[in-house]
């Protein structure tokens, strides 16, 4: 079986010659932070830094705290900042391997693999609209040949789906519903590098891993992602034509910048004698149109009735052939109203499937090599010690709804629904939704709760047979 919980990439490459000195750079500690050698700034970085020095551009609001946040700190953050305004969280993470165990060389190696949607964004010399994008995977020679200037940025996505160390970054955000997480992205650039000024629909936490980056932002509505006229046309990279920041801050390793959706931002590597590495934790919300279309399709897919067609035995002679009668309009409305949800439990059944599906999960590739009966699985589970969730499958549950219409417990995985009635099976499903490992000793009679019941055993077997869970030894 091929599983998403893989070892680190076999590749580990130097992005450019300066990377050879990276580890020596990381070991320098200056003023309580990892120091870097001052080198040439990009034009934008120099201009904005000068404007800040003159008092013309403000610093981004700061919050001094470290991850993991307490419940009280997250409560404060969500009330003051979440989807409201940007904030720099100074010292959020301890710099280095303790909190960011994947280094720049290993991340560059991921650009050699197709799983991570690698791409290189390049800034040309023929004006502000001279941007291009190259899609990977790339060879080591292509990465090593990148220039030492700031004309490029390597970007990789979906780290949490394939790299366990990257998935652990999400542990810092354990007060957010996991279904809202889009992915963990990383960008790698030389001094002066970046992806250009832009805006998007993501809530995002930008975590500075190596080097430093100056982030400049603006909440000007003219920079909003839906303002197509504000972006350069006919280029492959979405970049704002004219960007004037309202606030800037220089992030050191371990600092985190939170940005709500639609806030324009431009990050430029600054003060890097090797490379600049930034992680991005993105939260993408479904559009209202997506939700409406998804529910309509779900209602059609789940109807038990044989496909029905319009019928009008009530039809009466009309004086005008072009008229649509009020009776016909009412009949059309009755058909639509008939498929609408009657309770919030109905909505929950659809919504859980919607938000846990659509991750590009390859069910055929994930299927176990050997078909096991429920009893055989219980035996092998006990021998191996644990079942593991696939990292590229989302799990969730609903245990109550506002109108009280839910009876039992709804569990979701990979866009599929299980309705559970027994308390013990619901307890198991809740554990699976919240934890990566499902230990046999906790669920086969040795833990406090006793053995799982028949519903729980059937759930585990279904998840394993669908490839959503795999054995620890696979």
């Amino acid at each position: 079986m091929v599983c998403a919980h893989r070892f680190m990439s076999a590749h580990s490459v130097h992005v450019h010659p300066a990377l050879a000195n990276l580890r020596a750079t990381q070991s320098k500690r200056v003023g309580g932070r990892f120091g870097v050698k001052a080198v040439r700034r990009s034009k934008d970085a120099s201009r904005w830094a000068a404007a800040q020095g003159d008092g013309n551009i403000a610093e981004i609001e700061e919050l001094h705290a470290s991850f993991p946040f307490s419940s009280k700190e997250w409560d404060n953050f969500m009330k003051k900042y979440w989807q409201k305004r940007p904030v720099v969280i100074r010292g959020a993470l301890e710099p280095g391997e303790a909190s960011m165990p994947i280094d720049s060389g290993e991340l560059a190696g991921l650009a050699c693999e197709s799983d991570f949607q690698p791409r290189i964004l390049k800034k040309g010399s023929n004006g502000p609209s001279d941007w291009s994008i190259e899609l990977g995977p790339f060879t080591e020679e292509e990465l090593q040949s990148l220039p030492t200037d700031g004309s490029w940025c390597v970007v990789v996505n979906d780290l949490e789906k394939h790299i366990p160390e990257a998935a652990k970054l999400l542990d810092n955000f354990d007060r957010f519903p996991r279904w809202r997480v889009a992915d963990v992205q990383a960008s790698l650039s030389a001094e002066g590098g970046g992806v250009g000024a832009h805006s998007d629909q993501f809530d995002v936490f930008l975590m500075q891993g190596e080097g430093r980056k100056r982030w400049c932002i603006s909440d000007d509505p003219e920079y909003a992602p839906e303002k197509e006229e504000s972006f350069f046309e006919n280029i492959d990279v979405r970049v704002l034509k004219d960007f004037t920041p309202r606030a800037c801050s220089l992030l050191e390793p371990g600092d985190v910048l939170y940005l709500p959706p639609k806030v324009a931002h431009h990050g430029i590597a600054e003060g890097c004698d090797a490379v600049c590495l930034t992680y991005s934790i993105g939260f993408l919300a479904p559009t209202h149109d997506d939700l409406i279309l998804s529910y309509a399709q779900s209602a059609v897919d789940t109807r038990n009735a044989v496909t029905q067609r319009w019928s009008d035995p009530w039809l009466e002679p009309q004086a005008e052939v072009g008229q649509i009668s009020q009776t016909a309009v009412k009949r059309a409305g009755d058909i639509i109203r008939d498929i609408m949800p009657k309770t919030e439990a109905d909505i929950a059944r659809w919504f859980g499937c919607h938000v846990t599906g659509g991750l590009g999960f390859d069910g055929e590739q994930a299927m176990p090599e050997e078909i096991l009966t429920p009893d055989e699985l219980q035996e092998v589970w006990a021998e191996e010690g644990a079942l593991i969730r696939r990292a590229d499958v989302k799990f969730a549950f609903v245990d109550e709804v506002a109108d009280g219409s839910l009876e039992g417990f709804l569990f979701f995985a990979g866009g599929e629904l299980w309705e559970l009635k027994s308390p013990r099976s619901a307890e198991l499903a809740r554990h699976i939704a919240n934890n990566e490992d499902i230990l046999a000793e906790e669920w086969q009679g040795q833990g406090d709760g006793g053995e799982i019941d028949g519903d729980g055993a059937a759930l585990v077997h279904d998840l394993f047979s669908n490839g959503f869970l795999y054995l620890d030894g696979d």
Side-chain angles (χ1 to χ4, degrees), residues 78-277:
M78 291 178 178
K79 287 179 178 177
K80 291 184 64 175
Y81 301 107
W82 178 252
Q83 297 204 332
K84 300 173 184 69
R85 62 181 192 266
V87 64
V88 170
I89 308 171
R90 291 290 185 191
L93 296 166
E94 182 68 24
E97 293 185 2
S99 56
M100 299 184 187
I102 311 173
D103 67 23
S104 52
E106 291 165 330
L107 275 167
L110 301 183
C112 302
E113 302 187 25
S114 59
D115 288 341
F116 303 93
Q117 306 171 49
R119 54 212 182 274
I120 300 175
L121 285 70
K122 292 185 175 181
K123 176 70 179 74
S125 57
N126 297 319
S129 64
D130 187 9
W131 284 88
S132 62
I133 186 169
E134 296 180 9
L135 303 180
F138 304 98
T139 65
E140 293 188 16
E141 291 73 20
E142 287 175 310
L143 294 174
Q144 290 169 339
S145 67
L146 290 168
T148 57
D149 62 16
S151 62
W152 56 269
C153 183
V154 176
V155 180
V156 290
N157 281 80
D158 291 339
L159 299 181
E160 82 292 351
K161 297 179 179 65
H162 306 283
I163 306 296
E165 292 84 351
K168 290 187 181 301
L169 290 174
L170 295 175
D171 292 345
N172 296 300
F173 305 96
D174 60 1
R175 291 298 181 267
F176 290 88
R178 192 56 56 89
W179 66 264
R180 281 279 270 114
V181 175
D183 76 336
V184 178
Q185 180 190 91
S187 62
L188 199 63
S189 60
E191 172 73 11
V195 300
H198 64 285
S199 62
D200 51 46
Q201 299 288 0
F202 286 83
D203 288 277
V204 65
F205 290 87
L206 297 155
M207 311 167 74
Q208 193 59 29
E210 299 174 19
R212 298 190 293 180
K213 182 172 283 187
R214 184 175 298 277
W215 285 100
C216 292
I217 65 173
S218 175
D219 58 0
D220 189 330
E222 290 303 309
Y223 299 149
E226 63 269 19
K227 295 283 188 179
E228 295 291 340
E229 64 276 12
S230 297
F231 294 81
F232 287 113
E233 299 176 355
N234 302 318
I235 64 172
D236 294 330
V237 183
R238 190 168 169 81
V239 177
L240 287 163
K241 294 178 184 176
D242 300 299
F243 176 66
T244 301
R246 292 182 175 177
C248 295
S249 287
L250 183 64
L251 265 61
E252 303 275 359
D255 292 339
V256 174
L257 170 62
Y258 164 70
L259 295 173
K262 300 188 178 185
V263 173
H265 48 288
H266 191 185
I268 298 176
E270 178 179 323
C272 303
D273 60 352
V275 292
C276 177
L277 168 61

Side-chain angles (χ1 to χ4, degrees), residues 384-405:
E384 296 292 344
L387 285 163
I388 313 296
R389 297 187 325 184
R390 279 189 64 99
D392 56 353
V393 174
K394 286 190 175 182
F395 300 80
F397 67 85
V398 174
D399 59 353
E400 59 181 349
V401 292
D403 66 357
S405 59

Side-chain angles (χ1 to χ4, degrees), residues 5 386-389 431-432 435-439 442-443 472:
H5 192 92
L387 285 163
I388 313 296
R389 297 187 325 184
H431 179 85
I432 295 172
N435 297 275
E436 180 184 355
D437 301 342
I438 303 94
L439 302 179
E442 295 180 1
W443 297 99
D472 192 18

